[in-house]
Amino acid sequence: MIALDTRIATGMRALLAARDERVRAGERQIGWKLAFGAPAAAAALEIDRPLVGVLMEGGVLEDGASVAVGSWTSPVLEVEIAAHLRRDVAPGAAWDDVRAAIGGLAAAIELVDIDGPRDDIPAMLAVNIFHRHVMLGAVRDGRSTAEGIGARVLRDGVEIAATDDPSALTGELVEVVRLTAEQLGACGERVSAGDVVITGSVVPPQPIAAGQRIEVHVKPLGTLSIGLTA
């Protein structure tokens, strides 16, 4: 069992307590989200693995949905790859076992509202790392790594970001899931069969605003779109 950074341990206690309250109120958790895994972001926070937040069913958006962001402080869109787990991933699992536990991959969009400091780990975790919504594409069964995946982001039909190396900002996908299981294990949690793990933004997070329409093409996983309103 790893020893967590005290800042992460403090924040995770608050996050999981808030999650438990939501579950008692009738919400359902569908998985986990990762953040601040990009090398520069991790270095700035002095962490050696991404921060982990929760995904709740109530925050899921359908493809093509419209979202009102006019009242948000600093809305941002992230393009991610979602790993769908078909088996539990035990803390300390070997890389090959983690890969075998990933049943498929999907394109994903996460919407966050950065309405607090980005350098206070306990505070960020306590508010689920600014998470607001997630959109999940169709699952491509049998895929378990990001090899051969590329992404493009279009705002109102104009490309604003692209990558042919999705691991450059997130780290290697299987390793990211392994680190997630390790970190959650230190908190008395685990990555379980049926969970979805969105593994971090594969392009720099994109500021967004009301009136825009965003299309995300994650080849060969699929395309997602979202409209932004006031």
Side-chain angles (χ1 to χ4, degrees), residues 34-93:
L34 304 184
F36 293 95
L45 291 175
E46 298 181 329
I47 55 177
D48 64 355
R49 64 195 63 221
L51 300 181
V52 180
V54 300
L55 295 179
M56 306 300 288
E57 188 174 44
V60 176
L61 301 170
E62 295 295 326
D63 183 20
S66 293
V67 178
V69 299
S71 64
W72 293 15
T73 301
S74 183
V76 170
L77 178 145
E78 299 186 356
V79 180
E80 310 208 12
I81 297 171
H84 289 253
L85 278 296
R86 62 181 175 183
R87 302 177 191 167
D88 294 356
V89 180

Side-chain angles (χ1 to χ4, degrees), residues 43 75 91 101 143 163 200 227:
R143 291 200 68 113
T163 184

Side-chain angles (χ1 to χ4, degrees), residues 22-218:
R22 295 174 68 178
V23 170
R24 285 193 292 269
E27 293 191 61
R28 185 173 76 91
Q29 183 178 356
I30 63 168
W32 307 94
K33 60 153 281 177
L34 304 184
F36 293 95
L45 291 175
E46 298 181 329
I47 55 177
D48 64 355
R49 64 195 63 221
L51 300 181
V52 180
V54 300
L55 295 179
M56 306 300 288
E57 188 174 44
V60 176
L61 301 170
E62 295 295 326
D63 183 20
S66 293
V67 178
V69 299
S71 64
W72 293 15
T73 301
S74 183
V76 170
L77 178 145
E78 299 186 356
V79 180
E80 310 208 12
I81 297 171
H84 289 253
L85 278 296
R86 62 181 175 183
R87 302 177 191 167
D88 294 356
V89 180
W95 189 93
D96 286 343
D97 292 334
V98 178
R99 178 172 180 174
I102 299 172
L105 303 178
I109 290 173
E110 184 184 14
L111 297 183
V112 301
D113 182 18
I114 304 173
D115 58 354
R118 293 168 52 93
D119 58 356
D120 186 333
I121 289 175
M124 289 192 294
L125 285 168
V127 297
N128 201 20
I129 328 173
F130 312 124
H131 175 78
R132 295 296 181 269
H133 293 288
V134 66
M135 180 182 289
L136 301 169
V139 180
R140 183 66 66 92
D141 292 330
R143 291 200 68 113
S144 57
T145 76
E147 183 178 356
I149 294 176
R152 299 172 63 230
V153 186
L154 281 69
R155 181 178 61 214
D156 299 327
V158 177
E159 184 177 295
I160 57 172
T163 184
D164 290 321
D165 183 8
S167 298
L169 289 184
T170 64
E172 194 277 324
L173 188 144
V174 175
E175 177 66 7
V176 166
V177 175
R178 190 192 72 79
L179 290 172
T180 302
E182 191 175 70
Q183 184 163 310
L184 289 172
C187 301
E189 299 280 335
R190 67 188 300 137
V191 176
S192 301
D195 281 353
V196 179
V197 180
I198 59 171
T199 53
S201 190
V202 302
V203 298
Q206 299 297 310
I208 52 176
Q212 297 174 346
R213 184 155 196 87
I214 307 295
E215 292 183 1
V216 170
H217 301 264
V218 183

